[in-house]
């Protein structure tokens, strides 16, 4: 069974507008971590933001924020004021417990239009 | 500057040959990981190591081998037994204090090696 599901293969957003990238996950653990990474065309993986399963507040890092809905097992990434440099592949990932194995979703390609 | 170095960036090999991908880190991290990425897809875990001289198989270990003789180095060998070796390979790491019961630390990634086997 898929642990991480990203249902949007590709998204377009107009420059300066906000965009939401969806991610749902499946786990029976009480303790887990959720991560978002950005992968530009160069291939590097850039860590964006983290949400812990026990965190009561939605995580925020600059223009990135998470809409974490624990009961629905979803953690959607919101990018505000999109920039051309935000065009990239975005991956949602989950770590169960403390082992360190990150499980990744299939990713969403975001294209920012000028 | 601390970081993870993967070399080379591009690698070409003939079918039937083994090839070793290098991964070196100077972050003093205990745990290291190898992921494979196919076009348009997410990352899949090949092998990981939490301490020197110890490593575990990930989800797609068949056709691959690793060694962890030094804390800084975690080379990956793609053997001729790997049926579809052409892919983008990413190495990552994190510290042991982050591994032990702390779920909130991100993996630090290298820039990847793109392997093409013909």
């Amino acid at each position: 069974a898929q642990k991480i599901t990203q249902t949007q293969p590709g998204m377009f957003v107009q420059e300066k507008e906000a965009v939401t990238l969806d991610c749902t996950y499946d786990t029976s653990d009480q303790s887990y971590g959720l991560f978002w990474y950005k992968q530009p065309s160069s291939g590097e993986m850039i860590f964006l933001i983290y949400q812990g399963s026990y965190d009561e507040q939605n995580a925020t890092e600059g223009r990135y924020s998470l809409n974490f809905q624990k009961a629905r097992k979803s953690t959607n990434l919101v990018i505000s004021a999109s920039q051309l440099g935000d065009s990239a592949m975005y991956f949602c990932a989950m770590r169960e417990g403390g082992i360190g194995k990150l499980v990744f979703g299939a990713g969403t390609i975001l294209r920012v239009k000028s | 500057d601390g970081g993870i170095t993967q070399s080379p960036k591009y690698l070409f090999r003939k079918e039937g040959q083994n090839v070793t991908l290098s991964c070196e880190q100077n972050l003093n991290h205990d745990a290291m990981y190898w992921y494979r990425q196919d076009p348009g897809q997410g990352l899949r875990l090949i092998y990981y190591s939490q301490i020197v001289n110890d490593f575990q198989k990930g989800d797609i270990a068949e056709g691959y081998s690793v060694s962890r003789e030094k804390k800084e180095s975690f080379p990956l060998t793609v053997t001729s037994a790997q049926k579809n070796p052409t892919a983008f390979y990413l190495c990552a790491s994190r510290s042991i204090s982050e591994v032990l019961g702390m779920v909130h630390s991100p993996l630090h990634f290298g820039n990847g090696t793109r392997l093409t086997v013909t």
Side-chain angles (χ1 to χ4, degrees):
Chain A
Q2 286 279 6
K3 290 272 190 180
I4 298 286
T5 303
Q6 294 180 254
T7 57
Q8 307 153 312
M11 291 280 286
F12 284 96
V13 64
Q14 196 66 38
E15 195 177 8
K16 299 180 186 176
E17 292 185 353
V19 63
T20 298
L21 306 184
D22 296 340
C23 174
T24 58
Y25 59 92
D26 181 28
T27 182
S28 55
D29 280 12
Q30 295 301 309
S31 175
Y32 52 89
L34 299 159
F35 302 79
W36 279 89
Y37 282 85
K38 172 184 178 181
Q39 186 179 43
S41 56
S42 56
E44 67 206 279
M45 293 288 284
I46 302 167
F47 167 67
L48 295 177
I49 193 167
Y50 164 84
Q51 181 84 48
S53 57
Y54 292 118
D55 294 342
E56 295 188 353
Q57 304 257 355
N58 285 336
T60 301
E61 287 286 348
R63 293 187 299 112
Y64 305 108
S65 61
L66 292 181
N67 180 8
F68 178 48
Q69 299 185 49
K70 192 170 181 177
R72 299 179 64 179
K73 294 187 176 177
S74 74
T75 178
N76 299 337
L77 175 69
V78 180
I79 305 175
S80 62
S82 296
Q83 303 171 356
L84 295 178
D86 293 335
S87 293
M89 180 78 103
Y90 288 82
F91 290 101
C92 178
M94 177 176 66
R95 174 185 296 138
E96 295 171 304
I99 290 176
K101 291 169 59 176
L102 272 188
V103 177
F104 286 81
T108 296
I109 298 176
L110 177 66
R111 290 285 177 252
V112 181
K113 301 184 291 185
S114 59
Chain B
D1 282 344
I4 300 175
T5 302
Q6 290 188 244
S7 60
K9 188 171 182 178
Y10 299 95
L11 193 52
F12 299 88
R13 280 294 183 271
K14 294 289 188 185
E15 194 174 326
Q17 292 179 335
N18 291 355
V19 60
T20 297
L21 281 59
S22 168
C23 178
E24 304 278 333
Q25 53 98 359
N26 59 6
L27 299 167
N28 199 32
H29 284 173
D30 298 276
M32 297 185 73
Y33 307 80
W34 274 105
Y35 283 89
R36 168 183 172 139
Q37 185 180 23
D38 292 286
Q41 297 186 31
L43 281 65
R44 291 183 291 167
L45 183 64
I46 304 173
Y47 267 99
Y48 64 102
S49 167
Q50 299 189 66
I51 55 172
V52 174
N53 293 322
D54 187 47
F55 47 82
Q56 287 78 40
K57 292 182 179 180
D59 301 316
I60 55 165
E62 185 175 349
Y64 299 98
S65 66
V66 293
S67 63
R68 188 84 188 279
E69 297 176 2
K70 297 187 300 182
K71 186 176 182 178
E72 304 79 25
S73 178
F74 191 41
L76 173 74
T77 297
V78 184
T79 75
S80 55
Q82 167 51 231
K83 290 182 172 47
N84 297 297
T86 294
F88 186 52
Y89 291 87
L90 284 154
C91 180
S93 71
R94 69 175 184 145
S95 73
I96 194 68
S97 63
E98 296 170 334
V99 171
L100 294 176
M102 292 170 64
V103 299
H104 58 273
S105 60
L107 292 183
H108 304 262
F109 282 89
N111 287 336
T113 292
R114 200 168 296 278
L115 173 65
T116 302
V117 176
T118 56

